Amino acid sequence: MDRRRALADFLRSRRERVTPRDAGILPGPRRRTPGLRREEVAQLSGISVTWYTWLEQARDITVSRQVLQSLARTLLLSPAETRHLFALAEESPAEPPAAEAHPAPALQRLVDALDPHPAYLVTRTWDLAAWNRAEAGLLGDPARWAPADRNLLRFTFLEPRARELLTDWTVQARALLEQYRASADRNAGDPRFEALTRELRAGSEAFRAWWDAHGVADFRSARRRFDHPRLGRLSFDYVKLNAADAPDLSLIACVPADDATAGKLTALSDMGDKTPFG
């Protein structure tokens, strides 16, 4: 009940803030209601007046994601206000469409500061947005790849040397695909996910078979092993972090899983700009 009251109060306060002119409505004479009327919000949002009135009366009703999105547009809510609206209605907001990510300078400096530990930034479609020297030494320098190829799914499924580099390619590749599948399903209709999925299905038999199995997974810290062409066996534990002010970006940091790998970190970083397979 407390959450429903909070939702009702929030809707009322946002409704009173929006002027008719803001909503594209002629104000007309003798208007006593501050902001929009309930019936105006309902009409602009494509819902019934009764239904919207019940929301402001804190009635125990269920609101769909589509209705919440319509209300957010009508009430001109900011992204933070939209998330708050969804939280009060006990719904998870739809993820915004994946966009080209350009990391803020502070994020790029953080990635660089983690060197000689491999670290990189990826978007929700697993495009590489930033990386440090150690990561370049591990995979090959992405700066030498065509911009369209700077994607971990393309590297894993379409680059032949990935199968040589990843000692347990089948396990790692399937786990990556299932994380991608979960994200793609949450972003159904996003053209960037659709284009990447078509490319991977066409280019990789393994991707096509696993995609059709509909497996999904969340990211979990995992140990990944590499057979590096110069440094031999390397083993890392992967950690994923998200920046609150860059929701489309994830920071992946690699921590050596054994003393032998830890002893090779400096050499790995030194190879960042001269690795033989970049």
Side-chain angles (χ1 to χ4, degrees):
M1 189 61 192
D2 288 342
R3 189 181 293 269
R4 291 198 299 273
R5 288 197 188 100
L7 174 61
D9 292 343
F10 182 68
L11 286 171
R12 191 177 304 111
S13 71
R14 301 303 90 175
R15 173 171 62 84
E16 293 174 352
R17 183 187 64 176
V18 180
T19 68
R21 192 176 302 277
D22 292 336
I25 298 173
L26 293 176
R30 300 170 58 184
R31 189 180 184 93
R32 294 176 294 179
T33 303
L36 297 179
R37 300 187 180 101
R38 285 176 175 174
E39 56 267 28
E40 291 169 337
V41 172
Q43 181 179 5
L44 291 170
S45 302
I47 60 177
S48 73
V49 178
T50 300
W51 190 263
Y52 181 75
T53 300
W54 285 350
L55 284 175
E56 284 202 8
Q57 291 175 345
R59 299 281 190 95
D60 187 9
I61 58 176
T62 301
V63 191
S64 70
R65 295 162 64 94
Q66 291 77 12
V67 168
L68 292 172
Q69 289 285 14
S70 295
L71 289 172
R73 287 192 294 269
T74 298
L75 299 174
L76 307 178
L77 300 188
S78 68
E81 289 171 330
T82 300
R83 290 192 295 272
H84 186 62
L85 173 67
F86 273 76
L88 291 176
E90 298 183 289
E91 274 285 352
S92 298
E95 295 186 20
E100 291 287 349
H102 301 285
L107 276 177
Q108 178 68 69
R109 291 198 301 272
L110 174 60
V111 172
D112 292 338
L114 290 171
D115 193 76
H117 297 79
Y120 55 93
L121 294 171
V122 289
T123 68
R124 286 200 306 276
T125 51
W126 272 261
D127 289 326
L128 282 163
W131 56 89
N132 62 13
R133 286 167 52 85
E135 181 64 22
L138 183 61
L139 296 186
D141 189 359
R144 301 184 182 184
W145 307 353
D149 293 335
R150 295 171 191 164
N151 179 281
L152 289 184
L153 285 148
R154 289 191 183 96
F155 173 81
T156 302
F157 285 95
L158 303 182
E159 174 57 56
R161 63 182 172 84
R163 293 177 181 259
E164 301 174 2
L165 182 64
L166 306 175
T167 61
D168 52 349
W169 182 89
T170 299
V171 174
Q172 293 194 42
R174 186 157 192 170
L176 179 62
L177 178 145
E178 291 181 350
Q179 293 170 47
Y180 171 74
R181 178 70 195 241
S183 186
D185 285 352
R186 289 194 297 268
N187 290 273
D190 188 310
R192 296 186 65 203
F193 280 92
E194 292 178 349
L196 180 57
T197 300
R198 284 196 301 270
E199 178 186 355
L200 294 168
R201 282 180 59 87
S204 170
E205 182 178 349
F207 183 94
R208 187 165 57 251
W210 293 337
W211 181 266
D212 291 342
H214 292 271
V216 295
D218 292 326
F219 177 89
R220 293 184 179 180
S221 296
R223 183 159 297 177
R224 300 178 186 175
R225 296 176 176 85
F226 299 83
D227 189 7
H228 194 274
R230 287 193 177 181
L231 299 178
R233 184 60 56 88
L234 300 170
S235 183
F236 292 99
D237 290 327
Y238 275 54
V239 178
K240 179 180 180 181
L241 303 171
N242 292 95
D245 59 347
D248 196 46
L249 290 175
S250 297
L251 169 66
I252 310 295
C254 310
V255 181
D258 51 48
D259 291 340
T261 299
K264 299 175 182 178
L265 289 181
T266 299
L268 185 66
S269 177
D270 288 344
M271 292 179 183
D273 57 2
K274 56 186 177 184
T275 181
F277 49 81

